[in-house]
Amino acid sequence: DPCRNFHCKRGKVCHVDKHGKAGCVCQDPAACPSTKDYERVCGTDNKTYAGTCQLFGTKCRLEGTKMGRQLHLDYMGACKYIPHCTDYEVDQFPLRMRDWLKNILMQYYERDMNTSRFLTEKQRSKVKKIYQNDKRLVAGDHAVELLLHDFEKNYHMYVYPVHWQFHQLDQHPVDRLLTHSELAPLRASLVPMEHCITRFFHECDGDRDKLIALKEWCHCFGIKE
């Protein structure tokens, strides 16, 4: 089977032509496997798709058109009303995000105690110092004032989680710059819960080059140079 080890990018599938040569063609959205309700996704065209297969298959078929260039995964779940993000809310967003990233690392560290190995040894040694600090906040829905106080008092505990998340996203390629597609996995999962994330990332791009550099990322999260 010429398609056995033939890789196609998202939205395309392997197809063998009449000469027996493998190539990539656009996925027929109608031929995508059936999905569950919780696998629905919302596109940037504000249309609900049955799953990512259907979304990227549609995007592929629109390749070369303005609609195709503008169509991306907006967020996980069916399309719904996303409220406008106010200036006050976007200012408070880094407080919640920093706390969330810190608590994710705490959870990974606790799971690694049972040899799950979510983290590398180097990551574990860094997170261990944060984990053992008895001043850390217990995960929860904390008031803005408390999050701000904890950030100022225990600043060092928040630096690594912010750096860690950047490098988790910076993969294709690893160049200390985040593209729209590299940000997409984090953004798509958070939009339904954090409606300010789109505006936050847009404003993080200080030089408006459609890339978020490590320096811009840290500045947005209040991390000093």
Side-chain angles (χ1 to χ4, degrees):
D1 180 4
C3 281
R4 180 171 293 176
N5 295 311
F6 199 87
H7 179 71
C8 295
K9 70 176 186 178
R10 294 183 86 169
K12 294 192 174 187
V13 290
C14 183
H15 173 75
V16 180
D17 64 18
K18 60 183 179 181
H19 303 294
K21 188 177 179 181
C24 295
V25 297
C26 287
Q27 165 76 51
D28 177 4
C32 286
S34 59
T35 55
K36 301 283 193 290
D37 286 349
Y38 60 80
E39 293 175 293
R40 290 178 182 174
V41 296
C42 184
T44 46
D45 56 354
N46 203 33
K47 178 181 174 184
T48 298
Y49 292 84
T52 53
C53 171
Q54 194 181 87
L55 169 66
F56 288 107
T58 302
K59 178 178 174 62
C60 181
R61 292 193 157 201
L62 293 169
E63 204 168 299
T65 67
K66 184 178 179 181
M67 284 181 66
R69 288 191 297 274
Q70 292 179 341
L71 180 59
H72 300 285
L73 169 64
D74 198 8
Y75 53 88
M76 310 304 287
C79 294
K80 64 178 186 178
Y81 170 70
I82 303 294
H84 173 72
C85 177
T86 66
D87 292 346
Y88 174 79
E89 287 174 323
V90 81
D91 286 344
Q92 306 309 317
F93 178 81
L95 296 172
R96 297 191 301 275
M97 192 71 177
R98 282 190 306 246
D99 189 54
W100 182 71
L101 293 175
K102 177 169 66 71
N103 287 320
I104 282 180
L105 281 175
M106 296 301 99
Q107 289 170 18
Y108 281 172
Y109 185 82
E110 286 178 342
R111 290 177 192 175
D112 274 7
M113 289 177 176
N114 298 320
T115 66
S116 298
R117 291 291 174 260
F118 283 91
L119 304 171
T120 65
E121 285 303 316
K122 187 177 180 181
Q123 289 171 336
R124 279 174 57 79
S125 66
K126 286 184 175 291
V127 178
K128 183 178 180 180
K129 295 172 185 175
I130 304 172
Y131 187 84
Q132 291 179 335
N133 190 320
D134 60 4
K135 300 183 186 68
R136 71 186 181 90
L137 291 178
V138 176
D141 188 16
H142 301 297
V144 166
E145 292 77 18
L146 181 59
L147 291 176
L148 183 59
H149 173 74
D150 194 62
F151 177 63
E152 292 171 349
K153 187 177 180 181
N154 300 305
Y155 170 80
H156 65 282
M157 291 169 51
Y158 291 90
V159 177
Y160 182 69
V162 171
H163 284 168
W164 169 80
Q165 180 64 84
F166 183 92
H167 292 294
Q168 289 293 108
L169 297 170
D170 181 25
Q171 299 292 332
H172 307 290
V174 178
D175 57 2
R176 291 196 166 208
L177 294 169
L178 296 183
T179 62
H180 180 278
S181 59
E182 286 176 316
L183 281 169
L186 177 67
R187 189 189 157 281
S189 61
L190 287 180
V191 167
M193 297 176 286
E194 286 284 1
H195 65 281
C196 282
I197 195 166
T198 300
R199 180 178 167 184
F200 175 75
F201 284 149
H202 177 73
E203 294 183 3
C204 272
D205 181 17
D207 57 10
R208 296 291 182 264
D209 63 351
K210 298 186 177 179
L211 297 167
I212 297 180
L214 178 59
K215 189 174 181 179
E216 290 175 319
W217 175 271
C218 290
H219 175 73
C220 280
F221 282 102
I223 304 300
K224 301 161 192 168
E225 287 189 35

